Amino acid sequence: MRLDSLKLRARNAARRVGLEIKPSNLHSRFDLRLVELLNAKQATVLLDVGANRGQFATEILKSGYGGTVVSFEALPHVYQELSASAAAFGKRWVVAPRAALSDSEGHVNFNVTKNFASSSLLQPTSYMLGKGEPLTILETIEVPTRRLDNLVSTLGLVDESFFLKMDVQGAEHLVLAGAPEIIKRSVGVLLEVHLVDYYEGQPTWKQLDDIMTSNGLRLWDVHPFLRGVHGRLEGMDIVYVRPDDASVNAGPSALG
């Protein structure tokens, strides 16, 4: 039996039980594509903003990223677990002092959801609350806020080449407003973007795209991760890079 016939039979058998078999390569795995980009762009520090328990950083480091991860997290409920995850990687993964990154320094109310991962500086919309109990508010707590520019400076990260990752549940505009110098020093940015209103006052993708392009960054990759009724795309990870070498400049701009 030919190999392609075996692959087809295996794929069809998997689909009958609701599974999908895909090759493990750059075309099918977002984590491998991201690590390839990070290493190619020589990003020495990945700024992991909105780290939660450290799921993203763990995956990136295990997938072959050769630099250092610095994680930022506001939620006390997961901060200890995040610190424990980082400790297993030694100096390759550092956890910054607990704070919510924003456009100013001080203290602010932080909305904690029952699943923790959807917690935000912003209030959830009725649409988000209708998605089920895990997305409802468990409690509202006060957390310290820091500007990313200031916090990175206190960590002694002076001559590094940054890649900025943000998973901050609608507060992207606030983090970016507190990080103009970091954006200038970043070879790329990864944004988690909602395409429908999950949070009151969240920026649109167009608004975030305008911020990225005005800072000299160009669209590089898109990874859908959340769909709603009838398959509507509701959330995606978007990667932007600074086009300063031939590999990034190759081909027409994804923004037209």
Side-chain angles (χ1 to χ4, degrees):
M1 185 177 295
R2 295 177 58 186
L3 181 59
D4 55 353
S5 178
L6 286 172
K7 290 180 179 178
L8 180 61
R9 293 181 63 180
R11 184 190 66 185
N12 290 339
R15 286 179 172 175
R16 284 194 291 270
V17 294
L19 300 175
E20 186 72 29
I21 298 176
K22 294 182 178 180
S24 179
N25 55 37
L26 292 177
H27 296 285
S28 64
R29 287 180 55 184
F30 179 65
D31 62 318
L32 293 183
R33 294 197 302 274
L34 185 57
V35 167
E36 178 83 5
L37 178 63
L38 289 169
N39 292 334
K41 295 290 287 181
Q42 298 180 343
T44 57
V45 173
L46 191 159
L47 300 173
D48 175 26
V49 179
N52 199 255
R53 294 180 171 90
Q55 303 95 314
F56 172 83
T58 298
E59 182 177 38
I60 289 299
L61 288 169
K62 287 185 175 180
S63 296
Y65 173 51
T68 300
V69 175
V70 180
S71 290
F72 304 84
E73 176 57 47
L75 198 59
H77 308 66
V78 298
Y79 189 81
Q80 185 175 355
E81 188 174 344
L82 168 64
S83 298
S85 297
F89 287 84
K91 294 181 178 180
R92 295 184 62 201
W93 186 356
V94 177
V95 178
R98 185 176 65 83
L101 297 181
S102 189
D103 58 347
S104 62
E105 308 233 344
H107 290 80
V108 71
N109 287 336
F110 194 83
N111 300 298
V112 182
T113 55
K114 290 185 178 180
N115 70 352
F116 295 148
S118 301
S119 303
S120 176
L121 288 170
L122 306 183
Q123 290 282 348
T125 62
S126 58
Y127 181 81
M128 172 176 155
L129 294 174
K131 287 287 186 176
E133 185 176 358
L135 299 184
T136 58
I137 299 297
L138 174 67
E139 60 179 330
T140 299
I141 62 174
E142 185 177 78
V143 298
T145 58
R146 298 292 306 273
R147 287 171 54 90
L148 183 58
D149 277 355
N150 296 345
L151 187 49
V152 165
S153 178
T154 65
L155 295 174
L157 302 174
V158 179
D159 298 319
E160 304 294 345
S161 174
F162 295 124
F163 187 96
L164 175 60
K165 165 263 180 183
M166 286 190 292
D167 181 358
V168 291
Q169 307 304 312
E172 297 83 12
H173 58 306
L174 299 177
V175 176
L176 292 169
E181 294 304 316
I182 292 299
I183 297 173
K184 291 177 184 177
R185 293 171 56 189
S186 294
V187 298
V189 176
L190 165 60
L191 300 172
E192 181 190 274
V193 176
H194 287 96
L195 302 179
V196 296
D197 291 337
Y198 271 63
Y199 301 92
E200 300 288 350
Q202 72 180 48
T204 65
W205 175 24
K206 180 63 168 62
Q207 290 171 326
L208 293 173
D209 182 68
D210 287 345
I211 295 173
M212 294 294 101
T213 55
S214 67
N215 279 279
L217 295 155
R218 287 171 54 186
L219 182 64
W220 180 260
D221 198 359
V222 174
H223 176 242
F225 69 84
L226 179 64
R227 293 190 181 272
V229 177
H230 307 306
R232 178 187 181 184
L233 181 61
E234 294 190 350
M236 58 185 180
D237 293 321
I238 309 177
V239 178
Y240 291 85
V241 297
R242 193 169 304 283
D244 56 3
D245 59 50
S247 64
V248 175
N249 279 313
S253 169
L255 299 178

